[in-house]
Amino acid sequence: MPVPELGNVFRRAGISFRSVSGYLRQDTAWQRIARWVDAAHVRAALRHARHGLMGHLYPGMLDVSTDLTLLPTTFGSHVEVLEFDDLRVRVEEVTDAETTDRVELATKLFTVDDSVRPDDFAWGARVSVALDRLVDDFALDTLAYYHRGLAGEQHERLGAA
């Protein structure tokens, strides 16, 4: 009943709004309400999120390279610009035991193709442990990274792992 009155107040205050019409036991109305509640949860999570961007951008990475201020100005989140050396230092600190544990975890979670070389798998596991540390150290919720590199140089190996 008060939707027109509330709608006019919101409109005069410059506040966007939507309404859901239906009766109390109407499933479709509750489904729409549930979608709005889910969207509010996503918005709340993004408001305080920390997004990491490491390395440089690749030509198709237009969503990030367009404007690094888009997430902060739209949602209030923060973009932390990182260097591949932030990851490199953490990779150097990963122990062989931690690498072995990560390889074991990966083989439990994933089917590993026979073509995967054990050395490459271990390197990827080592980098995975270091990525977890990087995420923790910078309190990141998301991380996007890329490094093209040339001829197998160190940062290229880190990005590929």
Side-chain angles (χ1 to χ4, degrees), residues 45-60:
L46 286 173
R47 178 178 293 138
H48 303 290
R50 293 178 50 83
H51 309 282
L53 176 62
M54 183 171 59
H56 61 267
L57 309 172
Y58 59 84

Side-chain angles (χ1 to χ4, degrees), residues 4-161:
E5 291 85 1
L6 289 173
N8 284 323
V9 170
F10 287 147
R11 186 167 291 136
R12 285 193 305 270
I15 299 171
S16 297
F17 70 95
R18 299 254 202 254
S19 65
V20 176
S21 298
Y23 56 92
L24 188 58
R25 288 181 175 70
Q26 185 177 347
D27 288 338
T28 56
W30 285 109
Q31 289 167 0
R32 285 192 66 196
I33 291 168
R35 286 195 304 263
W36 280 105
V37 170
D38 289 344
H41 285 289
V42 170
R43 171 62 178 91
L46 286 173
R47 178 178 293 138
H48 303 290
R50 293 178 50 83
H51 309 282
L53 176 62
M54 183 171 59
H56 61 267
L57 309 172
Y58 59 84
M61 205 171 183
L62 300 177
D63 55 336
V64 176
S65 66
T66 301
D67 184 355
L68 288 179
T69 63
L70 189 58
L71 284 168
T73 57
T74 303
F75 297 110
S77 17
H78 172 77
V79 176
E80 184 76 28
V81 179
L82 304 166
E83 298 294 335
F84 259 86
D85 284 331
D86 293 318
L87 178 59
R88 178 189 54 80
V89 168
R90 285 161 180 82
V91 168
E92 292 169 358
E93 296 170 350
V94 175
T95 67
D96 290 341
E98 291 170 318
T99 301
T100 300
D101 288 346
R102 187 57 55 99
V103 166
E104 289 174 5
L105 176 62
T107 56
K108 287 179 187 172
L109 296 175
F110 303 104
T111 302
V112 180
D113 191 83
D114 293 337
S115 66
V116 175
R117 294 178 26 204
D119 289 349
D120 291 337
F121 196 40
W123 172 251
R126 185 174 296 272
V127 173
S128 172
V129 171
L131 280 167
D132 284 348
R133 288 184 182 158
L134 183 79
V135 166
D136 289 343
D137 291 347
F138 287 92
L140 301 176
D141 297 294
T142 66
L143 176 62
Y145 63 94
Y146 174 74
H147 185 84
R148 180 177 37 244
L150 297 170
E153 58 88 24
Q154 185 176 26
H155 293 116
E156 180 184 23
R157 290 189 68 225
L158 288 168

